[in-house]
């Protein structure tokens, strides 16, 4: 658990980071909180020749809230998200998920941008980002562009991030009208990562019917996914326990499941349904 | 002055340790120090066709590379130091680095020594080993089967030893109205102390002195063994292990790694450091448990236990580690009857080689397995005859008036009030009310379980004559020196080697109490063979019952001499002097007294000593215990199972323990908490798993689940006090009771919770999916 040698560069700005990534042509990696990257280096599962530390870039840090959305800088830590009064008020499920990541040390160092860029299939934030329809802002050699979370995460540890792109911020739209959200997690007893984590957002119309439903599921399958069948089974139905119970049965309809030592594919499918139901029950507005 | 013996004094070692001022082995930095890294086998069983180290040698910064043949003849084989008698034990040579064959994943193949840890690690990737992969066996029962691959060519059937205890229990089984037969598995566990293993060696070519800092629970045993391995006489070998970050048994053994580090330091003329990483810890540090046990209990329908037959197959791994053979035999096989009056008992143990990491002691070592079997059997028996598990226990627990009690396995249990401890736990739990509540909740579809474990364990082994009789290749007495300095401050030297347990505090309490001086005036020194003449270390909960008593005896010898001097100073006969509250007083003459410190000063000034009394004030004691100690208690666990997901929640945990007089309740509680956590860890989460190729698939904290604080409720602890009649302080050990008691309490509880599903047994660890399969099966019906 000793990494091989690497060079270290400290980026002066996001532009500078992009320039450094470009000049090292795929040999470099961005370093944020280091809580996913450093373990990989120690196990020599990755051996970049250069680390570009963006940790000092205050432009990437912070939380700002508007009418329609909350924008979280890529370098904002999980602890900052969990404790942010603005997020607790506007998007409580995001704070709820951040609070359940790892332990105190991990939350104090790990960043939102790093978590999404790393795209660990058992990490918590993808579920919430999916349920909130989050949009990432990336900066690359050709400037900035935006990409919805659904198009960003492509597979386990695989994203649409270009070789010279930096995640700048993530914007989480605030659902309209009467709505509620919840995140329910079953942590792995060893790693603390999600065996399954379900984020649910429900909005209702004046008549008490479900107007909007989004469910993001992480951990259970090989990639975090939107449970679209569950959502379809909810829209237009009365917002009650019975609707939820039936809809949650579809929670494993998407996603490709495989087992490991701790949980078989069947068990994971089952947990998806139970945790989807529990998250939805708490998300009833 | 309130007695400091029995007071909840805060641990004196903690400020040092939690402010980063401890000095662990890896903290040692020496000028010119080199760093070692060890290449470990990626195969569980393979012949080494060739090793090429040239590329590694050429890497800038690499100072030396050693292979098995380089060190052969210079570093001796790694010995086994517990050889149970009449067991036909075979100890095939354990070379420090593999020469012709590797026998488990993690087996050492070569060592690189370099200018930095990074270079040493890089160089490992440059060593080319050509392996011829051989068939692998990881399961001990399969290893015994005809035609199984042989781990050592000269050990047929892979049987390392076969050991038996007790008489023929046939009479019990002939009388039996009920016979319970069951098979239990004790899964393999990885000790995982916070501090991994490490060693730093410094050789002085001028004097020929070798100093080795090493993560050891028993530096003097390390000195004896390494002296042989390295050919360095004991008086030239100093072992230092002062701050050690936990051990749980895995720092008892002497490993090849520290021998190699010392060898390299001597060979290269520069200090060498090696620190294990966590991945190496999983692979190359001894594991615990890993046994299959078949048990048969004979009983009567009225709940009387008549006889017990136990057969264990123990997975010893690829080599017999230092103390390993003693674990399934003496420490398991002699206590299978637990706290019950069972007239007939027999134990049979096979120790078997496999292509896995060697096993050795892990907190509790043998006694958790024994307790698990008898406590699960007690519940199975209770169920079979339709009796409450508590009633079965009450009926069979050895009554208080029958102590000392000799068991059919030949032990003499020293003292006990087993019913008293059980009653206290019943009261704390409010058992009858809880049973009613359980019924009511079941009607609502909630599954609560109550599980019991009444236990007795063996600790503080001795006398040394018995150690010899059971094949322990050492003594089991303990040494203490109590040195009073001219100013009245005291240094206590102990041959035990605390590594987290808190004896720097409790041992100071023993001495401060006896001398009537503040605890701040007493310093406890341990873990350095140059400062402590001899000792046997810390394991098997022996530190306080053996080492603590040695200290008490040495302190009393100091007092004896001080009393003579005091009497002389007070100009009265010795018999007329009494010692209380730090004052020597003339009986019946208020005010005629002299302070302990003034007497101490006189002892050193020696201006006016009584005739025949030598100057100075210190005493040494070598205490050889009269008998083992037998702590006991009753634990109860209340769990709730979520039938939908199989998740288990611990609602309550009640622990009543009896370790005799409590020196420091806070430390005792800490030991119980830590022990219980590890015991529950085995029941619910932990488990090392090998695949058929002998690869450890649970080789990191990502998949090997250590217990975390948030998994537990607040523990409810209490004590009864039944002194050990055979030692001066009356104390018994408390270091392992939690681990010994907790595992069956939890499993009994979960089995009880799932009774409506027809469950009678569950295999550990009780992972949620196993439970879900049961509850789900019923739902599908
Ligand atoms: C003990 C432990 C427990 C954990 N438990 C959990 C858990 O329960 N749930 C959970 O979700 N996570 C968990 N984590 C992961 C934690 O949340 C990580 O911090 C997070 O996944 C990565 O964030 P980071 O800032 O540390 O990223 P880094 O480790 O610095 O980087 C991770 C990867 O993302 C890239 N990267 C980082 N930032 C950017 C950026 N702005 N633009 C482009 N690329 C970037 C890096 O190059 C690297 O490839 C745990 C980690 C540890 C060590």
């Amino acid at each position: 658990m000793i990494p091989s040698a690497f060079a270290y560069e400290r980026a002066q700005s996001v532009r500078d980071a992009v320039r450094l990534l470009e000049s090292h042509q795929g040999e470099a990696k961005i370093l944020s909180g280091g809580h996913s990257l450093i373990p990989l280096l120690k196990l020599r599962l990755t051996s970049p020749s250069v680390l570009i530390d963006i940790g000092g870039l205050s432009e990437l840090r912070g939380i700002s809230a508007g009418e329609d959305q909350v924008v979280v800088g890529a370098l904002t830590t999980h602890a900052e998200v969990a404790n942010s009064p603005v997020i607790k008020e506007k998007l409580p499920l995001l704070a709820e998920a951040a609070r359940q990541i790892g332990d105190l040390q991990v939350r104090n160092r790990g960043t939102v941008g790093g978590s999404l860029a790393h795209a660990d299939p058992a990490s918590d934030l993808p579920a919430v980002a999916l349920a909130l329809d989050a949009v990432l802002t990336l900066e690359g050699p050709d400037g900035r562009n935006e990409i919805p979370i659904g198009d960003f995460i492509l597979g386990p540890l695989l994203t649409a991030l270009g070789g010279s792109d930096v995640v700048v911020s993530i914007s989480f739209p605030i659902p309209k009208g009467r709505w509620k959200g919840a995140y329910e997690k079953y942590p792995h007893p060893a790693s603390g990562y999600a065996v399954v984590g379900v984020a649910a957002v429900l909005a209702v119309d004046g008549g008490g019917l479900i107007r909007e439903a989004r469910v993001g599921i992480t951990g259970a399958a090989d990639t975090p996914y939107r449970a679209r069948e569950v959502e379809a089974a909810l829209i237009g139905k009365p917002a009650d326990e019975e609707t939820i119970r039936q809809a949650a049965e579809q929670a494993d309809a998407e996603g490709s499941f495989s087992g490991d030592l701790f949980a078989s594919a069947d068990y994971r499918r089952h947990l998806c349904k139970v945790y989807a139901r529990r998250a939805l029950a708490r998300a009833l507005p | 002055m309130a007695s400091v013996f029995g007071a909840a004094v805060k641990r004196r070692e903690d400020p040092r340790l939690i402010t980063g001022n401890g000095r662990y082995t890896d903290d040692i930095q020496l000028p010119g120090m080199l760093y070692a890294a060890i290449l470990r086998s990626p195969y569980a069983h393979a012949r080494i066709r060739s090793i090429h180290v040239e590329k590694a040698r050429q890497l800038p910064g690499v100072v030396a590379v050693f292979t098995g043949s380089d060190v052969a003849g210079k570093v001796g084989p790694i010995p086994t130091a517990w050889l149970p008698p009449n067991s036909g034990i075979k100890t095939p040579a354990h070379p420090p680095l593999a020469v012709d064959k590797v026998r488990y994943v993690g087996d050492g193949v070569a060592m690189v020594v370099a200018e930095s840890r990074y270079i040493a690690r890089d160089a490992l990737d440059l060593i080319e080993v050509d392996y011829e992969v051989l068939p692998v066996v990881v399961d001990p029962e399969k290893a015994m089967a005809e035609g199984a691959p042989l781990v050592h060519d000269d050990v047929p059937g892979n049987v390392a030893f076969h050991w038996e205890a007790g008489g023929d229990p046939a009479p019990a089984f002939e009388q039996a109205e009920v016979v319970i037969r069951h098979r239990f598995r004790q899964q393999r566990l990885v000790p995982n102390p916070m501090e991994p293993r490490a060693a730093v060696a410094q050789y002085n070519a001028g004097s020929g002195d070798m100093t080795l800092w090493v993560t050891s629970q028993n530096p003097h045993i390390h000195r004896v063994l390494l002296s042989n391995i390295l050919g360095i006489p004991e008086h030239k070998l100093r072992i230092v292990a002062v701050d050690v970050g936990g051990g749980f048994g895995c720092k008892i053994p002497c490993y090849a790694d520290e021998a190699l580090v010392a060898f390299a330091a001597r060979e290269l003329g520069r200090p060498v450091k090696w620190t294990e990483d966590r991945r190496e810890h999983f692979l190359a540090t001894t594991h615990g448990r890993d046994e299959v046990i078949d048990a048969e209990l004979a009983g009567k329908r009225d709940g009387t236990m008549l006889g017990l037959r136990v057969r264990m197959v123990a997975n010893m791994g690829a080599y017999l580690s230092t103390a390993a053979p003693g674990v399934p035999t003496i420490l398991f096989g002699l206590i299978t009857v637990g706290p019950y009056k069972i007239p007939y008992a027999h134990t049979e143990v096979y120790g078997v080689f496999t292509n896995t990491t060697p096993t050795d002691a892990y907190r509790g070592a043998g006694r958790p397995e024994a307790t698990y079997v008898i406590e699960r059997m007690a519940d199975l028996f209770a169920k079979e005859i339709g009796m409450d598990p508590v009633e079965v226990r009450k009926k069979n627990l050895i009554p208080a008036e029958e102590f000392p009690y000799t068991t059919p396995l030949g032990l003499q249990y020293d003292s006990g009030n087993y019913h008293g401890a059980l009653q206290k736990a019943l009261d704390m739990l409010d058992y009858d009310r809880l049973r009613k509540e359980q019924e009511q909740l079941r009607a609502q579809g909630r599954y609560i379980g109550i599980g019991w474990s009444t236990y007795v364990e063996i600790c503080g082994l001795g006398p040394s004559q018995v150690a010899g009789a059971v094949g322990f290749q050492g003594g089991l007495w303990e040494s203490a020196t109590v040195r009073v300095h001219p100013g009245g401050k005291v240094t206590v030297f102990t041959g035990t080697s605390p590594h987290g347990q808190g004896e720097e505090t409790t041992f100071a309490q023993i001495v401060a109490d006896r001398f009537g001086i503040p605890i701040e005036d007493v310093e406890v020194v341990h873990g350095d063979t140059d400062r402590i003449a001899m000792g046997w270390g810390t394991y098997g909960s022996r530190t306080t019952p053996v080492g603590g008593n040695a200290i008490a005896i040495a302190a009393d010898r100091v007092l004896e001499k001080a009393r003579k001097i005091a009497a002389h100073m007070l100009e009265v006969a010795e018999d007329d002097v009494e010692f209380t509250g730090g004052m020597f007083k003339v009986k019946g003459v208020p005010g005629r007294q002299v302070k302990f410190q003034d007497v101490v000063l006189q002892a050193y000034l020696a201006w006016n000593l009584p005739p025949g009394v030598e100057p100075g004030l210190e005493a040494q004691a070598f205490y050889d215990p009269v008998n083992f100690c037998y702590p006991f208690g009753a634990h109860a666990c209340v769990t709730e199972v979520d039938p939908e997901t199989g998740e288990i929640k611990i609602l309550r945990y009640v622990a009543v323990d009896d370790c005799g007089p409590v020196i420091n309740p806070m430390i005792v509680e800490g030991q119980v908490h830590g022990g219980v956590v590890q015991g529950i860890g085995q029941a619910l989460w932990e488990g090392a798993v090998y695949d058929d190729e002998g690869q450890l698939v649970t080789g990191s904290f990502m998949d090997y689940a250590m217990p975390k604080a948030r998994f537990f409720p607040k523990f409810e602890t209490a004590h009864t006090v039944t002194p050990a009649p055979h030692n001066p302080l009356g104390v018994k050990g408390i270091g392992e009771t939690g681990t010994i008691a907790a595992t069956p309490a939890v499993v009994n509880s979960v089995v009880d919770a799932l009774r409506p599903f027809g469950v009678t047994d569950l295999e550990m660890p009780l992972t949620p999916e196993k439970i879900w399969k049961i509850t789900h099966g019923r739902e599908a019906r």
Side-chain angles (χ1 to χ4, degrees):
Chain A
M1 300 183 76
I2 304 275
S4 49
F6 53 83
Y8 174 87
E9 304 251 24
R10 185 176 291 238
Q12 301 305 318
S13 63
V14 177
R15 283 201 77 75
D16 189 33
V18 171
R19 188 187 57 75
L20 285 165
L21 281 170
E22 264 195 298
S23 68
H24 290 290
Q25 296 183 351
E27 292 293 305
K29 273 206 173 281
I30 294 284
L31 175 69
S32 286
H35 269 47
S36 294
L37 183 54
I38 302 290
L40 292 181
L41 294 180
K42 286 183 170 182
L43 293 166
R44 299 198 173 200
L45 292 173
T46 178
S47 301
S49 55
V50 187
L51 291 191
I52 300 165
D53 188 353
I54 59 170
L57 303 182
S58 51
E59 57 191 292
L60 291 180
R61 210 173 272 273
I63 297 159
S64 60
E67 271 298 292
D68 309 329
Q69 58 180 20
V70 176
V71 180
V72 178
L75 268 185
T76 311
T77 64
H78 304 317
E80 285 161 352
V81 171
N83 298 324
S84 155
V86 167
I87 292 182
K88 282 194 211 166
E89 187 207 322
K90 309 250 178 200
L91 296 170
L93 80 159
L94 179 55
E96 198 183 334
R99 198 164 54 236
Q100 295 180 58
I101 293 174
D103 52 37
L104 196 63
Q105 289 88 334
V106 172
R107 293 192 291 276
N108 280 338
R109 293 292 306 176
T111 66
V112 174
S115 177
L116 295 176
H118 188 58
D120 187 307
S123 60
D124 294 291
L125 294 182
V128 181
L130 286 165
L132 287 171
D133 254 345
V135 175
L136 291 90
T137 299
L138 313 181
E139 182 162 333
D142 303 328
R144 295 200 172 192
N145 69 308
E146 297 195 338
I147 179 167
I149 185 72
D151 297 337
F152 181 75
I153 296 182
L154 303 177
L157 307 177
L158 197 65
T159 66
L161 202 65
S164 303
D165 288 349
V166 173
V167 179
V168 174
S169 63
I170 301 95
S171 89
F172 296 92
I174 303 167
K176 302 266 178 303
R178 240 181 91 206
W179 77 280
K180 228 173 135 187
Y183 181 66
E184 282 281 329
K185 174 181 183 178
Y186 179 145
H188 190 291
S191 69
Y193 279 84
V195 176
V196 54
V198 180
V201 167
L202 289 177
V204 292
D205 62 19
L209 297 183
I210 298 171
R211 180 170 51 76
E212 221 181 298
R214 280 189 309 273
V215 177
I217 300 185
T218 190
D222 71 355
T223 307
Y225 62 95
R226 276 276 292 276
R228 304 228 177 235
E229 303 260 326
V230 176
E231 296 170 3
L234 291 164
I235 304 281
K237 303 270 170 55
D240 61 25
E241 300 274 347
E242 183 51 26
T243 303
I244 284 168
R245 207 183 50 73
Q246 289 193 12
E249 285 302 309
Q250 309 302 318
D252 64 340
E254 290 91 354
S256 100
F257 294 82
S258 48
D260 62 11
L261 198 64
F262 183 72
S264 68
D266 276 354
Y267 183 52
R268 285 171 181 277
R269 287 176 179 278
H270 171 74
L271 290 178
C272 277
K273 298 175 192 172
V274 176
Y275 276 74
R277 196 195 70 223
R278 291 178 183 179
L280 285 165
R282 281 210 296 117
L284 278 176
Chain B
M1 190 169 85
S3 176
V4 63
F5 189 103
V9 179
K10 279 194 185 168
R11 284 167 40 114
R12 305 166 78 205
E13 39 277 84
D14 285 349
R16 173 176 94 241
L17 299 178
I18 63 183
T19 55
N21 287 305
R23 201 163 186 244
Y24 295 100
T25 303
D26 191 58
D27 292 328
I28 308 285
Q29 296 294 347
L30 300 171
M33 190 163 76
L34 299 169
Y35 296 80
I38 291 167
L39 181 70
R40 300 191 180 277
S41 171
Y43 298 108
H45 200 191
R47 200 172 304 286
I48 300 175
R49 285 210 199 98
S50 65
I51 306 182
H52 295 288
V53 301
E54 272 321 303
K55 282 185 195 152
R57 271 199 189 121
Q58 277 156 20
L59 185 72
V62 169
V63 176
V65 182
F66 300 104
T67 64
S69 39
D70 295 334
V71 302
K74 297 176 186 163
V75 183
I78 307 307
T80 303
W82 199 336
L83 308 170
N86 308 318
S87 66
I89 188 162
K90 302 195 181 58
T91 52
H94 181 182
L97 288 170
V99 180
D100 54 340
K101 234 171 118 173
V102 288
R103 294 186 167 86
Y104 65 98
V105 174
D107 207 352
V109 173
M111 177 171 69
V112 173
V113 186
E115 297 288 346
S116 81
R117 219 186 154 185
Y118 295 88
I119 297 169
R121 172 61 186 83
D122 285 347
L124 294 185
D125 292 345
L126 300 176
I127 299 175
E128 294 156 334
V129 187
D130 184 11
Y131 292 103
E132 175 194 340
V133 177
L134 299 171
V136 169
V137 64
V138 297
D139 177 281
E141 288 190 296
K142 287 185 186 151
M144 288 170 80
E146 185 82 31
L150 289 184
V151 180
H152 299 276
D153 294 339
D154 50 351
V155 182
N158 292 310
V159 175
F161 56 85
H162 174 223
W163 177 93
E164 287 178 82
D168 183 1
F173 286 86
E174 278 154 23
Q175 292 171 50
E177 293 165 8
V178 187
V179 175
I180 307 292
R181 291 193 178 85
H182 207 80
R183 162 163 275 223
F184 301 97
R185 263 173 215 284
Q186 286 283 327
Q187 79 272 36
R188 185 177 274 251
L189 303 176
V190 182
N192 274 318
M194 273 205 249
E195 180 206 29
R197 287 189 298 118
V200 178
Q202 183 175 38
Y203 182 66
N204 182 331
S207 65
D209 289 325
M210 172 75 78
T211 303
L212 180 72
W213 290 261
V214 61
T215 48
S216 171
Q217 297 179 216
N218 28 246
H220 290 88
I221 292 183
H222 257 86
R223 188 177 63 175
V224 172
L225 299 177
L226 284 166
S227 168
N228 279 306
I229 295 168
L230 295 165
I232 300 174
E234 276 170 284
H235 65 295
K236 292 289 185 188
L237 181 57
R238 176 184 177 199
I239 310 288
V240 187
V242 178
D243 282 336
V244 176
F248 310 117
C250 77
K251 291 175 184 169
I252 297 171
C254 181
Y255 293 85
D257 310 303
E258 47 256 31
L260 291 166
V261 166
F263 161 78
R266 186 173 55 180
E267 200 76 1
L268 303 171
R270 288 171 68 180
V272 178
K273 178 192 278 188
W274 166 80
T275 302
E276 171 185 77
D277 66 31
R278 191 57 66 178
R279 174 89 188 133
E280 265 184 304
H281 180 81
F282 273 96
L283 295 177
T285 293
T286 53
H287 295 166
R289 319 279 192 263
D290 201 349
E291 300 116 345
V292 185
I293 301 143
D294 289 298
E296 279 178 278
L297 177 73
K300 294 209 287 204
R301 293 241 157 240
D302 69 355
T304 310
M305 296 177 179
L306 297 172
L308 182 70
R309 207 181 262 140
V310 173
R311 178 181 179 273
M312 171 190 263
V313 176
N315 191 344
M316 307 310 292
Y319 294 100
L320 292 180
S321 172
T322 310
V327 174
T329 54
I330 316 307
L331 297 176
F332 166 83
L334 294 183
I335 190 123
T336 51
V337 291
Y340 305 114
K341 207 175 159 173
I342 304 177
Y344 294 93
H346 182 260
T347 320
E348 181 178 22
V349 179
Y350 287 90
V352 180
F353 288 118
T354 63
N355 295 115
T356 60
T357 299
T359 54
D360 204 317
Y362 171 61
R363 198 171 190 173
R367 292 148 291 162
E369 295 97 309
T371 305
Y372 188 79
V373 170
I374 191 66
E375 288 308 292
R376 290 286 303 115
M377 290 298 275
D379 267 35
L380 289 167
F381 179 43
K383 181 175 180 294
E384 177 63 30
I385 59 174
M387 212 165 169
D388 187 287
V390 170
E391 290 314 308
V392 164
R393 286 175 171 81
K394 279 185 176 168
K395 193 165 181 85
N396 292 284
L397 286 174
I398 300 159
E401 58 277 9
E402 292 193 25
F403 290 91
Y405 172 87
T406 302
T407 76
L409 294 164
L411 296 179
Q412 193 189 74
Y413 291 179
D414 53 358
S415 61
N417 181 359
Y418 299 172
H419 290 89
L422 175 57
Q423 192 55 50
K424 191 157 192 165
L426 283 163
D427 294 344
M428 283 166 72
L429 199 64
D430 202 351
Y431 184 58
D432 296 336
R433 189 189 52 76
L434 202 61
R435 279 280 180 222
K436 288 194 193 99
E437 217 177 285
Q438 178 186 35
E439 276 314 306
Q440 288 158 6
L441 288 170
R442 268 184 194 162
Q444 301 167 23
R446 285 182 60 189
Y447 298 92
I448 307 285
I450 308 165
W452 286 93
S453 170
T454 44
Y455 75 92
V456 60
E457 68 124 330
I458 346 171
C459 69
L461 265 56
S464 299
Q465 191 188 0
V466 171
V470 298
F472 185 78
Q473 302 297 299
L476 280 172
W477 47 266
E478 201 42 80
S479 81
T481 299
V482 173
R483 178 175 302 158
V484 189
H485 302 284
K489 313 283 190 211
V490 180
T491 308
V492 176
F493 300 85
T494 174
T496 63
S497 203
H499 44 279
Q501 295 85 348
E503 279 91 357
E504 286 177 31
T505 307
T506 46
F507 283 179
Q509 286 179 265
I510 293 173
V511 174
D513 172 65
R514 278 182 144 64
F515 291 170
I517 59 176
I519 184 173
E520 292 74 25
D521 288 1
V522 186
E523 165 107 348
V524 177
V525 173
H526 59 82
D528 183 341
T529 61
D530 262 15
R531 299 190 74 186
I532 298 114
M534 185 56 199
W536 296 99
T538 285
Y539 41 81
S541 299
R542 68 185 300 275
T543 310
T544 301
V546 189
N549 276 301
I551 290 167
I553 293 166
D556 288 349
R557 285 184 188 155
V558 165
L559 275 185
E560 226 171 278
K561 180 170 175 181
R563 182 192 301 273
K564 283 197 177 79
I565 300 171
H568 189 68
M569 289 166 74
L570 293 163
E571 297 178 334
V572 294
E574 228 183 291
D575 285 349
D576 293 334
V577 176
E578 61 180 4
F579 183 63
T580 54
M583 286 286 182
F584 291 95
K585 298 175 179 169
V586 178
K587 288 181 195 160
V589 189
R592 268 195 73 193
Q593 57 190 37
V594 55
K595 273 201 333 211
F596 175 74
Q597 287 84 351
D598 293 337
V599 176
V600 173
L601 185 62
Q602 274 312 317
Y604 280 95
L605 293 175
W607 291 340
N608 182 19
L609 291 180
V613 171
E614 290 175 3
L617 196 56
E618 76 172 68
Q620 195 171 32
F622 291 83
Y623 170 68
D624 201 5
V626 175
N627 188 2
F628 302 172
C629 292
Y630 297 89
F632 61 89
H635 286 210
C637 180
V638 185
T639 55
E640 176 163 10
V641 175
D642 179 343
E644 204 175 17
T645 61
E647 286 165 281
I648 295 163
K649 195 171 168 198
I650 302 165
L651 301 179
R652 288 180 69 189
Y653 196 95
V654 170
V656 177
D657 297 283
D658 193 322
C659 59
V662 171
I663 301 171
N664 184 325
M666 196 191 290
I667 284 179
V668 164
E669 197 171 338
Q671 288 295 309
V672 172
H673 283 203
V676 165
V677 160
Q678 280 175 299
I680 299 177
Q682 175 174 15
L684 298 185
W685 306 291
E686 295 184 51
V689 178
Y690 283 99
D691 67 13
D692 290 340
E693 269 77 58
Q695 297 293 337
L696 184 64
V697 291
T698 51
S700 84
F701 287 143
M702 292 299 282
D703 31 42
Y704 186 93
M706 296 295 286
K708 324 255 183 326
R710 66 171 185 275
F711 297 175
F712 301 99
K714 193 167 161 35
F715 298 142
E716 301 161 59
T717 60
H719 295 276
T720 57
V721 178
T722 311
H726 50 78
N727 73 50
L729 294 171
V731 293
K732 301 180 177 184
I734 192 70
E736 297 164 289
T737 58
T739 318
I740 290 164
T743 313
V746 175
V747 176
N748 282 339
S749 176
V750 176
V751 169
D752 184 53
L754 293 174
R755 200 135 299 202
F757 295 90
V759 170
T760 54
D761 192 36
L762 295 163
E763 201 165 285
M764 296 187 292
L766 312 185
T767 49
E769 182 166 5
K770 282 183 198 164
I771 309 295
W772 169 72
K773 280 187 176 143
I774 291 162
T775 55
H776 189 74
R778 186 185 115 127
E779 275 164 15
R781 239 183 269 150

